[in-house]
Every structure is written in C-alpha cells, then in structure tokens.
C-alpha cells in the first residue's frame, strides 16, 4: 500500500512539474534562454519522477518499468504523465530490457535450433565445391547446413569462403560467417601467444623459436588479416626462424624454414645465400636444399637456372623427396624450346 501511495504521489508530482512548465511556456513569452532551460528542466524532471513512480510499482522487471515511465513522459509532454499515472495505478508486466536478447541473437538461437533438427535430414559434403554450391542454394536450410560444414573446416580455403559468406543474402549465414572468422582469428592468436610463452621460458632453445615462427607463418597462411598485418606476420616469422637458425646453424630444418620465410618477403637473394650455406653442412640433405633453391629460381623467373637445379636435386635424391616435388623437378629438368636464362 505504501509503494502504491508513493508511486501515485510521484506521478502527481511529475504532472505538477509538467503543468508548471506548460504554464511558464504559455505566460512568459518570449521565454528567453533562462526560460527555455527552466521548461526543459521541469520536463526532464517530470520524466525522472515518472520513471521512479513506475519503478516503485514494478511487477517483475524494474528497469523495464522505469524505462517506460521515463520515455512516455519525455516523448509525450503532459499526456505522457497522465499515462504514467494510470500505469502506476495498474502497472502492466514489462519485459526486462536489461536481459532482453537482441534480434540478431534471437535469430542466431533459432538458427542453431533449426540446424540441430536439420542435421538428421540434410548432409552437406565437406568438399569445397559442394559447399560453394550449397551456399547459393535457394533452400535456407541447405545454406545453413553448408555453413555448419564450413565452420568445421580449417585453412585458407575455408577463410576465403567465410569471407565471401559475409555478403550472403541470408542474415544467419552472414552472422555465422563473421562469428567463425572471429573464432579462427582468436585461435591463431592463441597459438602465437602460447608459443611466445614457451620462448620466454627458454630463449636459447631453437625448437621453441621455430615453433613460434610456425605459429606466425600459419596465422598468415590463413589470410585472415589485412595486408599490413599479413606483412607483419611474415616479418615476425622470418625473425623467429633466423633466431632458431643462428642458435643451430647446422640444422637444415631451420635453414629451410628461414629460406621459405625470406621467399615470402620477396628477399630471394637472401634466401639463396642462406641455402647456399646449408649445402656445406654435413647434416644437410642436398636434394632438399637443391629443391628449395629451384623454388627460389622459379619465383625469380630464372628458368635456365631452374633446369640445372632441378637436375641436381634429382641426382641427389635418395628417395626422400615427396612425389609431387619429384614430379615438378622432373618436368623442369627437361630442356624445352624457348626457355630463357
């Protein structure tokens, strides 16, 4: 009973403030700057009183009632206070605005429920081309199924499709694409941070430096970031591999990683120099080093040198080169008309 009386009293006080403001506006013409501020102050004060009146009379959602009282009074001068007075006498149930979900979250929730039902009936092949086709399907459920399959994929191909999906005509597909890209970016950043912590624990361990370089390299390979960040990741990877190489200069693994990082940065001559030093190491596999040199020559467009290096790599191979590398070397080892130096 006390809250009812206090709520009605506040509503009447808000009505009084509105009435006083209306009286000032009607009798003090022109109002002047001071008069305008006085009227506005009374109006805002009435809105605050209306909010408090309904807050006291709240049934469940306090913030919701207060927001209704404030907005009603503020947006509808005088008549809004009368509405607040009526609501104070018989307050309705108002949804709590603080916990109300946004439309996007509600739709995302509905999509997840739909996906759970659809998985039993719709199976989307994880083949990239199948996903590309499914993302264009007129059936909403098929598109959602394709997005679910895409979220389970990793690598640059998945990132490219997710980026394209950000412009899909279906909101739920766009929403999940942005969400998936964020998750992949966070996962790549976490991998870098974990490798950084490992290096901090033992800065003299070349393996840890190499692992950190791999984390930077893999993050860049995803193609998630803009051009400036991509360049920064490549530079960081090169720096880590160089540290590992300097700590263990005879370990060919670090040499090859450093050379590849230099290639990515377009520093081909530096890569050739590093690989040339590796050929003199007793532990080095000449076939692997010659293959790396051949790749550098290919990137530089030095086709005649590429032919010679391919032949050297094949002669030095003891069966350790991958089949695809051996096939490429065999192709470039052949003399072909028109091949320039």
């Amino acid at each position: 009973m006390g809250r009812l009386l206090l709520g009605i009293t506040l509503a009447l006080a808000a009505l009084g403030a509105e009435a006083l403001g209306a009286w000032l506006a009607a009798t003090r013409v022109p109002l002047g700057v001071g008069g305008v501020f006085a009227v506005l102050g009374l109006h805002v004060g009435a809105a605050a009183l209306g909010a408090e009146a309904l807050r006291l009379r709240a049934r469940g959602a306090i913030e919701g009632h207060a927001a209704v009282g404030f907005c009603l009074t503020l947006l509808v001068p005088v008549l809004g206070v009368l509405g607040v007075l009526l609501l104070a006498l018989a307050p309705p149930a108002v949804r709590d605005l603080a916990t109300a979900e946004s439309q996007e979250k509600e739709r995302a929730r509905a999509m997840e429920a739909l996906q759970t039902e659809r998985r039993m009936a719709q199976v989307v092949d994880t083949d990239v081309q199948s996903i590309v086709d499914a993302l264009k399907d007129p059936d909403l459920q098929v598109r959602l199924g394709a997005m679910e399959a895409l979220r389970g994929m990793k690598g640059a191909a998945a990132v490219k499709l997710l980026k394209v999906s950000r412009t899909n005509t279906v909101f739920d597909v766009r929403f999940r694409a942005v969400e998936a890209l964020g998750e992949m970016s966070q996962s790549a950043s976490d991998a870098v941070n974990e490798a950084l912590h490992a290096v901090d624990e033992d800065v003299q361990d070349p393996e840890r430096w190499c692992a950190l370089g791999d984390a930077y390299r893999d993050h860049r390979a995803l193609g998630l970031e803009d051009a400036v960040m991509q360049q920064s990741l490549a530079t960081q990877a090169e720096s880590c591999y160089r540290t590992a190489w300097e700590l263990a200069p005879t370990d060919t693994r670090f040499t090859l990683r450093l050379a590849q990082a230099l290639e990515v940065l377009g520093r081909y001559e530096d890569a050739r120099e590093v690989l040339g030093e590796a050929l003199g190491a007793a532990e080095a596999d000449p076939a692997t080093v010659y293959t790396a040199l051949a790749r550098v020559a290919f990137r530089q467009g030095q086709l005649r040198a590429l032919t010679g290096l391919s032949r050297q790599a094949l002669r030095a191979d003891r069966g350790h080169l991958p089949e695809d590398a051996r096939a490429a070397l065999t192709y470039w080892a052949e003399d072909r008309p028109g091949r320039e130096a």
Side-chain angles (χ1 to χ4, degrees):
M1 188 66 177
R3 294 174 69 87
L4 171 62
L5 291 176
L6 185 54
I8 293 174
T9 300
L10 290 174
L12 290 173
L15 183 60
E18 286 285 81
L20 180 57
W23 178 78
L24 285 174
T27 58
R28 302 293 177 89
V29 180
L31 281 174
V33 176
V36 168
F37 277 106
V39 171
L40 287 176
L42 287 168
H43 184 53
V44 173
L49 289 169
E52 183 63 15
L54 286 193
R55 191 188 72 80
L56 289 171
R57 298 287 293 140
R59 287 163 48 188
I62 294 176
E63 291 81 1
H65 281 81
V68 169
F70 186 84
C71 293
L72 188 60
T73 306
L74 192 66
L75 299 177
V76 188
V78 182
L79 294 178
V81 180
L82 295 176
V84 168
L85 183 58
L86 291 175
L87 292 173
L89 291 170
V94 179
R95 187 178 180 183
D96 191 345
L97 298 181
T99 58
E101 289 186 323
S102 66
Q103 182 181 9
E104 290 80 3
K105 288 184 179 179
E106 289 177 349
R107 295 184 69 179
R109 243 176 168 26
M111 188 204 72
E112 289 177 356
L114 179 63
Q115 273 305 108
T116 300
E117 297 174 3
R118 186 62 179 171
R119 281 193 189 100
M120 298 302 294
Q122 178 68 40
V123 177
V124 178
D125 189 357
T126 55
D127 176 72
V128 172
Q129 188 56 49
S130 297
I131 292 177
V132 171
D133 295 338
L135 286 171
K136 300 175 184 177
D137 196 282
D139 187 341
L140 169 62
Q141 294 178 345
V142 173
R143 292 196 191 190
L144 296 179
M147 177 53 62
E148 221 22 53
L150 187 56
R151 283 171 64 89
M153 296 177 62
K154 303 296 180 184
V159 170
K160 288 181 181 179
L161 286 179
L162 286 169
K163 286 184 174 181
V164 172
S165 299
R166 291 181 300 184
T167 59
N168 198 282
T169 55
V170 178
F171 167 80
D172 294 321
V173 172
R174 299 197 303 271
F175 180 85
R176 296 308 288 268
V178 172
E179 187 180 51
L181 286 169
E183 290 173 355
M184 293 178 73
S185 180
Q186 185 60 53
S187 178
S189 297
D190 290 344
V192 170
N193 289 331
E194 184 178 345
L196 276 169
H197 291 150
V199 166
D200 288 340
E201 292 175 358
D202 187 356
V203 295
Q204 296 301 316
D205 185 351
E207 295 284 355
R208 300 191 183 205
W209 281 104
C210 186
L212 179 56
D214 289 345
Y216 282 122
R217 178 200 61 188
D218 295 344
H219 191 168
R220 179 188 178 279
L222 289 173
L224 287 163
E225 314 299 341
D226 58 32
V228 174
M229 187 61 181
Q230 290 287 91
Q231 181 71 10
S232 175
L233 291 170
T235 302
Q236 294 281 8
E238 186 272 335
S239 177
C240 293
Y241 289 140
R242 183 173 294 279
T243 301
W245 177 62
E246 290 172 349
L247 289 171
T250 59
D251 193 319
T252 311
R253 292 175 303 154
F254 306 144
T255 305
L256 293 174
R257 291 282 216 294
L258 175 58
Q260 289 172 356
L262 290 168
E263 283 181 52
V264 170
L265 292 170
R267 295 165 55 184
Y268 302 124
E269 292 305 321
D270 290 341
R272 288 167 61 89
E273 182 179 345
V274 168
L275 291 169
E277 292 184 24
L279 282 174
E283 300 88 348
D285 177 6
T288 303
V289 177
Y290 279 124
T291 300
L293 284 167
R295 185 175 59 246
V296 174
F298 176 80
R299 285 180 176 271
Q300 290 184 291
Q302 298 177 353
L303 302 187
R304 180 60 62 185
L306 172 58
T307 299
L309 290 168
S310 297
R311 290 173 179 172
Q312 287 178 295
L314 290 172
R315 281 197 296 267
D317 181 31
R318 297 295 180 267
H320 301 305
L321 288 177
E323 285 299 325
D324 56 345
R326 189 179 295 107
L329 291 169
T330 301
Y331 173 83
W332 287 109
E334 298 175 3
D335 281 319
R336 296 179 182 276
R339 186 172 291 176
E340 299 177 358

